[in-house]
């Protein structure tokens, strides 16, 4: 489970519900698009707050950043007992609807022809890839943060299966207590990341998630086919960014994916599966450098 530094948006950022043709989505929107607009998609059990420490440095670099809770994630509504709306194709359509709303209603140029940078973390990378494959002309680039070519590692598949099984016999509050009981000692209360005084923010986020969304996302993580060749054929600029260690998709696998995509590759030292939270300043610097290099 990701641990953002804080759940409070930075100064100058706006938290609101973005109205789209496919419903409302909770977002944090910061910066002005002198150089472009970036849509940021969080990962499994995560939320828009996972990018909260990126907004200020990317705004200073000239980018507007819009981090979004996907359908059924944290503060975005979604069915709690029907997995159908969380199929990957449906989530990809949600992303395209979010772009339409940003371009037409809240966008930089006010033009529906505006092209966006898209960034997805972990499971969000799979959704981002699906959106790009569906409508590549809508995007200037794709950045996959700690998100691999296909299904997650066998060890992580076992963890996801345990969670999906638990969701069939327990409610969200009970599953939260079970997760906390299994946390390693270094994650125990009193040793949280700076900015989190207790477990309440994390618990509130967990309870806000739709069980159906978690079940559907977990299945997709375990069953995703290798779509690297499809993505490479688009010739879209791609950035593969990760920490120096990762047990969800091993770093050598991400290295190989970057080679197959002829992608820009960044490893953030001192970071693991969530470099956006572990080393946000270094991550923001690498992101801005990639986008700046596209002209």
């Amino acid at each position: 489970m990701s641990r953002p530094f804080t759940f409070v948006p930075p100064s100058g950022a706006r938290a609101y519900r973005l109205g789209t043709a496919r419903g409302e989505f909770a977002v944090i929107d910061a910066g002005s698009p002198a150089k472009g607009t970036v849509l940021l998609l969080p990962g499994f059990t995560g939320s828009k707050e996972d990018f909260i420490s990126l907004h200020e440095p990317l705004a200073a670099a000239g980018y507007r950043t819009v981090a979004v809770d996907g359908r059924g994630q944290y503060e975005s509504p979604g069915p709690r007992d029907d997995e159908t709306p969380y199929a990957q194709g449906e989530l990809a359509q949600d992303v395209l609807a979010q772009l339409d709303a940003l371009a037409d209603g809240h966008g930089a140029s006010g033009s529906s022809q505006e092209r966006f940078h898209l960034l997805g973390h972990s499971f969000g990378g799979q959704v981002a890839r699906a959106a790009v494959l569906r409508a590549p002309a809508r995007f200037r680039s794709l950045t996959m943060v700690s998100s691999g070519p296909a299904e997650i590692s066998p060890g992580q598949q076992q963890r996801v299966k345990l969670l999906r099984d638990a969701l069939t016999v327990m409610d969200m509050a009970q599953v939260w207590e079970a997760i906390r009981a299994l946390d390693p000692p270094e994650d125990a209360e009193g040793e949280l990341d700076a900015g989190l005084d207790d477990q309440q923010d994390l618990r509130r986020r967990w309870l806000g998630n739709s069980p159906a969304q978690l079940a559907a996302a977990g299945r997709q993580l375990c069953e995703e086919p290798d779509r690297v060749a499809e993505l490479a054929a688009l010739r879209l600029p791609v950035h593969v960014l990760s920490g120096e260690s990762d047990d969800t998709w091993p770093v050598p696998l991400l290295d190989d994916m970057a080679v197959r995509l002829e992608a820009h590759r960044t490893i953030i030292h001192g970071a693991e599966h969530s470099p956006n939270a572990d080393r946000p300043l270094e991550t923001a610097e690498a992101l801005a450098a990639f986008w700046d290099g596209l002209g």
Side-chain angles (χ1 to χ4, degrees):
M1 182 179 296
S2 61
R3 294 179 180 272
F5 177 76
T6 179
F7 276 65
V8 179
S11 175
R14 294 190 301 133
Y16 62 93
R17 288 186 178 271
L18 176 69
T20 80
R22 293 176 62 85
E24 291 189 335
F25 297 88
V27 304
I28 297 176
D29 187 335
S32 58
K35 296 180 180 177
T37 300
V38 189
L39 185 66
L40 306 106
L41 311 181
F44 186 56
T45 76
S47 68
K48 61 191 178 302
E49 285 75 17
D50 292 345
F51 305 111
I52 210 159
S53 297
L54 296 182
H55 291 296
E56 288 186 306
L58 289 178
Y63 292 94
R64 179 191 183 194
T65 50
V66 183
V68 58
D69 288 336
R71 181 182 301 275
Q73 273 188 322
Y74 188 29
E75 293 181 323
S76 288
R80 298 185 69 82
D81 56 3
D82 179 8
E83 293 186 32
T84 305
Y86 304 111
Q88 188 181 83
E90 294 296 320
L91 300 181
Q93 285 291 100
D94 287 346
V95 171
L96 300 179
Q98 291 156 13
L99 299 188
D100 288 339
L102 289 171
D104 292 336
H106 303 275
S109 64
S111 168
S112 61
Q113 300 305 307
E114 181 182 359
R115 295 169 65 223
F116 291 78
H117 298 292
L118 184 62
L119 181 153
H121 172 236
S122 194
F123 173 70
Q126 293 186 349
V127 175
R129 178 169 58 200
V132 166
L133 289 171
R134 186 172 292 260
R138 301 294 307 276
F139 301 97
R140 295 178 65 186
S141 73
L142 170 65
T143 298
M144 300 182 70
V145 177
S146 303
S147 187
E151 76 279 358
I152 55 178
S153 67
Q156 289 299 310
Q157 289 187 42
Q158 288 298 314
R159 291 172 65 90
V160 169
K161 184 179 185 301
L162 286 172
L163 174 58
R164 292 182 64 237
D165 289 346
L167 289 169
T168 66
V169 296
M170 293 188 281
D171 64 27
M172 291 291 286
Q174 291 170 326
V175 174
W176 170 258
E177 294 304 324
I179 291 171
R180 294 299 302 139
L182 292 172
D183 273 350
E186 61 267 23
D187 288 341
E189 192 164 350
E191 305 218 11
L192 292 171
D193 297 342
L196 290 176
D197 295 329
D198 55 33
Q199 293 289 329
Q200 294 310 305
D201 286 327
L202 295 174
R203 183 177 187 274
R204 185 175 67 253
R205 177 174 69 176
W206 172 260
L207 294 178
N209 287 319
S210 158
Q213 185 273 334
L214 292 172
R219 180 179 292 105
Q220 291 170 42
L221 284 167
C222 296
E223 298 177 355
E224 176 77 355
D226 189 316
R227 308 190 72 183
V228 172
E230 292 176 72
L231 182 60
L234 299 179
R235 309 303 298 174
L236 183 77
V238 177
H239 186 187
V240 176
L241 184 148
S242 73
E244 61 183 338
S245 64
D246 197 317
D247 61 0
T248 304
W249 285 279
V251 169
L253 189 66
L254 300 176
D255 292 338
D256 178 70
M257 181 179 74
V259 171
R260 294 169 62 196
L261 289 169
E262 298 183 16
H264 186 72
R265 178 74 172 107
T266 299
I267 295 176
I268 303 297
H269 295 286
E272 297 184 3
H273 185 61
S274 298
N276 40 297
D278 295 341
R279 293 289 187 272
L281 294 180
E282 295 89 337
T283 299
E285 181 179 359
L287 293 172
F290 169 66
W291 297 323
D292 287 351
L294 300 179

